[in-house]
Amino acid sequence: MARAMRFQNRRDAGRHLAALLRSAGFGSKNPLVLALPRGGVPVGYEVARALRAPLDVFVVRKLGAPGHEELALGAVSSNGVRILNQDVVEALGVPADIIDAVAARELLELERRERAYREGRPAPPVWGRTVILVDDGLATGATMRAAVAALRRSEPAQIVVAVPVASPAAYDEFSREVDAIACVFTPEPFHAVGLWYQDFTQTEDEEVRDLLGRSSREIGPEAPAFAQASPS
């Protein structure tokens, strides 16, 4: 990992991350790049472009604590996987019915985003593939943990977590939980993902759709070798 730095923006961060993944040989594994929207998509676009890999989204929503939305109670994914940060839940004393209400609201937003981003396209098959899960950074890792847990249900051959920046604790955790982790640097003290970007402006839905469409046009349709189905 390189020494601590500040990225210009998410696209710049994606180019640094792509160089790291290429040097590690992931470009030769015919990967599928799945970006966590919205902020992970500009990063994932640059990764997919450099690796000549297909790009799609993997939609996961953080469960923000009521009144303290910046604190993650956990996260949910589109196939119903829910991950909770028990330490945060217990420290705030959040009851189960409140967590259920937050999760229900976030599932509605998750479904809206999937419809908006894919515009009718089916989710790509992941069985038997090397999947690179991309986000713009890892702080607590709650959202990424939900993504990894959900993705495992589809039985990919390999799960690679790829982020430009991560807290040392999150990096250590995922290095034990997934097949590989790629991270440009892990600053200490970490504080927050946004501190390591000069421009951390929120990514909008329109940019997500634009980058997904642009990636599809640049890479083209997936080769037949990618169109694997799970064995019956």
Side-chain angles (χ1 to χ4, degrees):
M1 287 172 287
R3 64 180 179 83
M5 57 185 285
R6 290 184 77 205
F7 303 109
Q8 295 175 19
N9 51 38
R10 290 179 178 89
R11 297 279 294 273
D12 176 56
R15 288 187 284 271
H16 281 86
L17 183 58
L20 179 62
L21 287 162
R22 283 175 61 89
S23 68
F26 286 105
S28 64
K29 297 180 182 294
N30 295 330
L32 168 66
V33 177
L34 295 181
L36 274 56
R38 292 180 283 199
V41 175
V43 181
Y45 169 78
E46 295 294 343
V47 169
R49 188 180 189 188
L51 301 184
R52 300 298 299 168
L55 171 69
D56 207 322
V57 290
F58 199 84
V59 186
V60 181
R61 293 288 294 171
K62 180 178 77 173
L63 302 179
H68 303 277
E69 277 70 22
E70 73 282 359
L71 293 176
L73 297 174
V76 291
S77 71
S78 56
N79 62 354
V81 173
R82 183 192 298 186
I83 301 294
L84 293 180
N85 289 333
Q86 290 296 344
D87 291 345
V88 176
V89 172
E90 292 171 7
L92 296 178
V94 183
D97 61 329
I98 296 298
I99 296 174
D100 289 343
V102 172
R105 183 180 68 242
E106 294 301 337
L107 279 170
L108 288 175
E109 174 61 13
L110 188 152
E111 291 167 0
R112 182 198 71 80
R113 290 191 180 198
E114 283 204 325
R115 289 193 301 270
Y117 299 155
R118 288 214 175 91
E119 299 180 309
R121 297 187 303 271
V126 302
W127 179 83
R129 301 181 67 168
T130 292
V131 177
I132 301 178
L133 275 175
V134 178
D135 204 357
D136 54 15
L138 288 177
T140 66
T143 304
M144 186 63 80
R145 275 196 298 276
V148 169
L151 188 59
R152 280 204 178 102
R153 295 190 177 186
S154 299
E155 300 183 12
Q158 188 177 31
I159 298 176
V160 180
V161 168
V163 292
V165 61
S167 69
Y171 180 89
D172 290 344
E173 175 187 346
F174 282 97
S175 66
R176 296 188 297 269
E177 290 191 2
V178 297
D179 298 290
I181 180 168
C183 180
V184 179
F185 65 95
T186 57
E188 182 66 71
F190 178 78
H191 297 305
V193 171
L195 291 179
W196 305 102
Y197 288 81
Q198 295 176 32
D199 177 5
F200 200 59
T201 305
Q202 180 172 288
T203 304
E204 301 295 340
D205 286 351
E206 184 177 350
E207 182 179 0
V208 171
R209 288 191 293 267
D210 175 67
L211 291 174
L212 289 175
R214 189 183 306 180
S215 180
S216 179
R217 291 190 296 272
E218 291 172 349
I219 303 300
E222 291 195 81
F226 286 143
Q228 303 180 60
S230 177
S232 57

